């Protein structure tokens, strides 16, 4: 009898999720806002149950309540869908190019995206023979100002957004090489904008250097960064051209067309 409560609670939670999904699926079949009565009918839920769940979905913005007391899918789904789409698309487009770059360098190749004040590693091509311990696995995170890809994203921020980032993070460092001074970071970002690529000189991890180039989608937005990580004494400047070229090839695969210089 003692185990009945947890099992019952788990079953109830799953049942609530199933009902939420059934309501979202039902809403997806309608172009116009739908009444509570209609949703209860097509899902087989009691109107009071459907109303309670829809109210929770409205609070979390998965569903919008129209002025007429009807319901439609919410913008939160679009936001999440766009995040998933950008990650899946860029991973699929980048995979073979990352493997080719890895074959050239025999070093770790990272694909990262920005999420708030951090970058998130979403894919990686590496070999144990590179001689460098891979510390950040796929799904790992790191501060923007301490990483080469993070600097790419900070370099395209508006001044107001950059100041807000500095205030929120305090530019906390990981070691003696970390950039924790505002003026130094601003000079670094100016260099990134001028050169079109970014570096991490043992600022995140001692003994590891990185270089990164941006990946753009068909709208011209930078959606990811491609980077080479290597032991500090093995990173070769000759790889920079290969890195930039590979990032450009991935961008082209995503439909990006560079603007012609005037």
């Amino acid at each position: 009898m003692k185990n009945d409560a947890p099992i019952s609670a788990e079953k109830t939670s799953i049942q609530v999720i199933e009902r939420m999904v059934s309501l979202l699926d039902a809403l997806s079949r309608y172009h116009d806002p739908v009444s509570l009565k209609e949703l209860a009918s097509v899902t087989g839920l009691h109107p009071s149950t459907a109303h309670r769940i829809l109210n929770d979905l409205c609070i979390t913005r998965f569903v919008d309540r129209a002025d007429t007391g009807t319901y439609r899918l919410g913008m939160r789904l679009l936001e999440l869908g766009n995040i998933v789409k950008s990650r899946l698309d860029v991973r699929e487009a980048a995979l073979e190019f990352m493997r080719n770059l890895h074959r050239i360098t025999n070093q770790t190749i990272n694909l990262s995206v920005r999420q708030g004040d951090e970058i998130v590693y979403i894919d990686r091509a590496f070999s144990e023979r590179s001689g460098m311990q891979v510390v950040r696995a796929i799904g790992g995170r790191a501060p923007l100002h301490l990483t080469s890809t993070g600097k790419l994203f900070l370099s395209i921020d508006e001044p107001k957004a950059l100041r807000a980032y500095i205030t929120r993070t305090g530019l906390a460092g990981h070691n003696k090489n970390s950039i924790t001074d505002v003026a130094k970071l601003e000079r670094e970002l100016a260099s990134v904008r001028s050169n079109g690529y970014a570096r991490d000189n043992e600022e995140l991890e001692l003994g590891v250097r990185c270089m990164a180039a941006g990946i753009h989608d068909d709208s011209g937005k930078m959606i990811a960064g491609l980077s080479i990580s290597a032991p500090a004494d093995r990173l070769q400047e000759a790889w920079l051209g290969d890195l930039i070229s590979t990032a450009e090839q991935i961008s082209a695969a995503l439909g990006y067309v560079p603007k012609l210089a005037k």
Side-chain angles (χ1 to χ4, degrees):
M1 294 295 291
K2 291 182 179 179
N3 293 328
D4 289 347
I7 293 174
S8 177
E10 182 180 350
K11 184 178 180 180
T12 301
S13 297
I14 293 173
Q15 190 177 52
V16 170
I17 293 172
E18 289 175 343
R19 290 172 174 175
M20 289 172 61
V21 172
S22 70
L23 285 166
L24 292 174
D25 284 342
L27 285 167
S28 71
R29 297 196 291 268
Y30 293 86
H31 182 268
D32 296 318
V34 193
S35 69
L36 173 63
K37 181 179 179 181
E38 177 72 9
L39 289 170
S41 174
V42 298
T43 59
L45 296 174
H46 190 280
S48 64
T49 300
H51 182 267
R52 184 175 66 253
I53 295 174
L54 286 167
N55 187 58
D56 289 341
L57 288 170
C58 286
I59 292 172
T60 53
R61 296 173 50 238
F62 285 99
V63 170
D64 287 338
R65 184 183 288 108
D67 293 336
T68 56
T70 53
Y71 301 87
R72 60 189 172 197
L73 293 178
M75 293 301 294
R76 183 62 179 153
L77 289 169
L78 178 62
E79 294 167 3
L80 293 176
N82 284 336
I83 291 172
V84 173
K85 176 180 179 296
S86 67
R87 290 180 185 172
L88 291 178
D89 285 353
V90 72
R91 287 183 69 182
E92 183 178 351
L95 183 58
E96 194 55 41
F97 294 109
M98 290 175 66
R99 287 172 176 167
N100 290 336
L101 185 57
H102 172 67
R103 283 192 281 269
I104 293 171
T105 64
N106 197 33
Q107 301 299 324
T108 301
I109 311 301
N110 308 292
L111 184 65
S112 312
V113 297
R114 178 176 187 172
Q115 193 171 88
D117 292 340
E118 300 173 308
I119 63 162
V120 180
Y121 298 88
I122 62 171
D123 217 337
R124 169 168 284 146
F126 71 96
S127 168
E128 296 297 341
R129 294 178 298 169
S130 67
M132 182 185 70
Q133 182 182 6
V134 180
V135 218
R136 281 172 170 73
I138 294 173
R141 298 167 177 269
L144 295 175
H145 66 287
L146 300 183
T147 60
S148 53
T149 291
K151 291 175 187 176
L152 289 173
F153 282 106
L154 286 177
S155 74
I156 61 175
D157 270 355
E158 295 292 332
K160 183 178 180 180
L162 177 60
R163 289 194 298 271
Y165 170 83
I166 292 171
T167 300
R168 285 193 305 272
T169 64
L171 296 185
H174 280 201
N175 60 59
K176 61 185 179 64
N177 294 324
S178 299
I179 296 179
T180 58
D181 177 74
V182 175
K184 186 174 181 181
L185 177 63
E186 289 176 339
R187 290 194 297 271
E188 180 84 357
L189 297 181
S191 176
V192 172
R193 284 188 288 270
S194 175
N195 295 328
Y197 58 86
R199 299 177 185 273
D200 158 18
N201 290 309
E202 302 184 68
E203 297 155 45
L204 182 64
E205 299 170 22
L206 291 175
V208 179
R209 294 171 60 208
C210 306
M211 52 177 66
I215 295 172
H216 300 77
D217 66 10
D218 57 347
S219 70
K221 179 183 178 182
M222 190 173 77
I223 59 170
L226 184 72
S227 63
I228 302 173
S229 299
D233 58 349
R234 294 189 195 176
L235 191 70
Q236 299 179 23
E237 289 302 308
W239 295 337
L240 183 57
D242 295 315
L243 171 68
I244 294 172
S245 174
T246 302
E248 290 174 346
Q249 291 170 20
I250 297 171
S251 297
L254 292 169
Y256 174 62
V257 179
K259 293 182 181 179
L260 296 176
K262 295 182 179 180

